[in-house]
Amino acid sequence: MTAIAPSVVNTIVPEAPRSSRFAWLRERGMGATVLVSAISTAFGVVLLSATGYLAVVLGSNPEYGSSGTMVVVLALLSGILLAVAVYVAAIVTANTFSTIIAGRTRRIALMRLIGATARSQRSEVATQGLVVGAIGAVLGLVVTTAGVVVAVPVLNRALGVTSEWSPLQPVLLLPAIAVALTTWIAAWSGSRRVLAVTPLEALGGSVERSREEIAAKRGRRTGAVVLGAIGVVLLVGGLLLGLLSPAGVLVAFFGGLFSFTAVSISAVSVMPPLLKATGRLFGRSVTARLAAENAVRYPERSSRMAIGVVMGVALVVMFAVAAESAKSLVAASAGGEPDASFNEMMDVFSTVMMCLVAVSAVIAAVGLVNLLTIGIVQRKRELGLLRALGLTSAQIRRMVLIEAAHVTVTALLFGLALGILYGWVAAQSLLGSVAMPPLWLSPTFVAPAIPLVPVAIVIVATAALTLGAAVAPTRIATRTAPVEALAE
């Protein structure tokens, strides 16, 4: 008996496998966060490089070299666009980490059970955010800087100029540092759920807060109301100041920033009613009803997926509406006859701006695909139960696709409404003080105008995003056998 005991012990208690210190980098969501950080940094490097290059080229031009106004305008525009891209990336990252934390609920609770504090767990998550942000920022910085080094000689030959500007500028480190720090802060913000995880939750799986639990939390609602009130005041102030000076658009810009932050914070309260209304568009089949219920049952998950798309759509539509409103104003002042040269200039400007803000839309799209995939992975047990109850793989696939369509259609409609509003505010606050013919009087009322082609492109792009976002999740949802899913 004594001789057998050591063998039994060695058989029952094998040596614990050693895991890599950075094994968490393979967790779903981390790769997408690295990609978001890389895209944001690359966008910042391109904007700063373009501004520096244009400043040197324009400075060598005898017609524009004596005036630094255009360079200042370009620098200001680059700063605003970079801030918007970093802002979108921060919200996407915070939402990603919030979803990751929901999936780690059981692990965090087990760590709490053996003595770990909530603060130490949250610090660990924030450190992971800093690491993935730094990895993405370095990748974006190195790859994009190399691309700029190659592109500058090509641009010099294409434009017929001799530029002494060097692409290797210390200022290019700024977007990389900003993105890494923003990702760290966003991870810290997105991990606030750790503070509420109790050791008892170690008995369960991934947990998203229900509508009732969210309704009991009033701090977020109060913060959203305060930010929303500040945003509305600034928007109205920008409109009023715009009747006297074009500087009103700067005030309106900060109003839009505050008001949309309020929308983002309160998305868990704003989106469920909209999702419920949109759910009726998909019929009353079993899969459609399940998809609609899944979208509103856990509003945090759905709101995280939707708000990024709302931002992307609103940004693109905002610039399109502002440019179209300016074109309509000039045409009305000319007695209804459009000015071909002005329209051509505005079309070029709006196209360039929409292409630039489309980077933020791409970041939001990455966030949607990532969050939808993580959500399906965390719901394997639920999907396995549905398979065990009789739903076929085709029905599960259809349900996931309808869920994605449900979220994106709602986000599209909400984003269009916000984009039209913000676009009109931008046009009115910028052009309200400009005296227009035939009376040459100001203030001027700028009627909102909606460009059909850009809006159609946004709708088609959103439809493509829905199909693309559902590819990986549907494969995951149907690949796992019911018995295997229920065993998790």
Side-chain angles (χ1 to χ4, degrees), residues 326 329-334 431 433-445:
L329 177 64
V330 172
S333 67
L431 302 174
S433 61
V434 179
M436 301 297 294
L439 300 178
W440 295 102
L441 296 176
S442 63
T444 300
F445 174 72

Side-chain angles (χ1 to χ4, degrees), residues 129-462:
L130 180 60
V131 170
V132 295
I135 292 173
V138 170
L139 286 175
L141 175 64
V142 172
V143 173
T144 310
T145 303
V148 172
V149 169
V150 174
V152 167
V154 177
L155 284 173
N156 288 339
R157 286 194 297 270
L159 298 176
V161 298
T162 304
S163 171
E164 300 297 330
W165 180 77
S166 171
L168 303 178
Q169 301 285 340
V171 72
L172 298 184
L173 293 174
L174 292 179
I177 296 172
V179 168
L181 292 179
T182 303
T183 307
W184 175 47
I185 295 170
W188 176 266
S189 174
S191 64
R192 61 185 176 275
R193 175 78 190 284
V194 173
L195 300 175
V197 176
T198 63
L200 186 62
E201 290 182 89
L203 300 176
S206 63
V207 181
E208 292 275 7
R209 286 182 291 190
S210 64
R211 284 172 284 186
E212 293 75 15
E213 290 174 316
I214 292 172
K217 301 286 184 181
R218 304 202 174 189
R220 173 180 289 190
R221 188 181 304 172
T222 302
V225 170
V226 172
L227 288 174
I230 295 173
V232 170
V233 169
L234 290 175
L235 285 172
V236 174
L239 288 173
L240 295 177
L241 180 60
L243 299 177
L244 304 174
S245 167
V249 72
L250 293 177
V251 178
F253 168 76
F254 287 103
L257 202 61
F258 275 100
S259 60
F260 193 87
T261 302
V263 171
S264 177
I265 293 175
S266 61
V268 290
S269 301
V270 173
M271 295 307 300
L274 300 178
L275 289 166
K276 191 172 183 180
T278 311
R280 300 190 181 97
L281 301 176
F282 297 95
R284 302 296 299 169
S285 65
V286 173
T287 51
R289 282 184 291 169
L290 281 172
E293 180 58 31
N294 284 333
V296 299
R297 182 175 47 170
Y298 296 114
E300 280 189 320
R301 180 193 297 156
S302 301
S303 300
R304 291 184 201 123
M305 290 190 288
I307 200 65
V309 180
V310 172
M311 280 189 293
V313 171
L315 283 170
V316 174
V317 173
M318 177 183 70
F319 281 102
V321 168
E324 190 70 18
S325 299
K327 288 163 58 178
S328 299
L329 177 64
V330 172
S333 67
E337 293 294 330
D339 186 328
S341 60
F342 179 80
N343 283 358
E344 183 180 357
M345 180 186 70
M346 290 304 298
D347 286 340
V348 172
F349 172 76
S350 61
T351 301
V352 171
M353 293 304 299
M354 283 189 289
C355 289
L356 290 174
V357 298
V359 175
S360 299
V362 170
I363 293 172
V366 172
L368 171 66
V369 176
N370 184 40
L371 291 173
L372 186 60
T373 303
I374 294 174
I376 292 299
V377 171
Q378 293 176 356
R379 289 165 53 200
K380 270 189 177 180
R381 184 179 178 86
E382 173 191 326
L383 296 172
L385 179 60
L386 291 174
R387 292 286 304 279
L389 290 175
L391 263 69
T392 64
S393 296
Q395 288 177 308
I396 294 292
R397 190 180 297 111
R398 195 177 307 119
M399 182 189 73
V400 174
L401 179 60
I402 292 176
E403 277 188 49
H406 194 177
V407 171
T408 51
V409 168
T410 306
L412 171 66
L413 296 175
F414 191 30
L416 286 173
L418 287 178
I420 292 170
L421 174 63
Y422 286 145
W424 172 74
V425 170
Q428 179 64 54
S429 58
L430 180 64
L431 302 174
S433 61
V434 179
M436 301 297 294
L439 300 178
W440 295 102
L441 296 176
S442 63
T444 300
F445 174 72
V446 182
I450 302 174
L452 297 181
V453 174
V455 170
I457 292 174
V458 168
I459 293 173
V460 171
T462 304

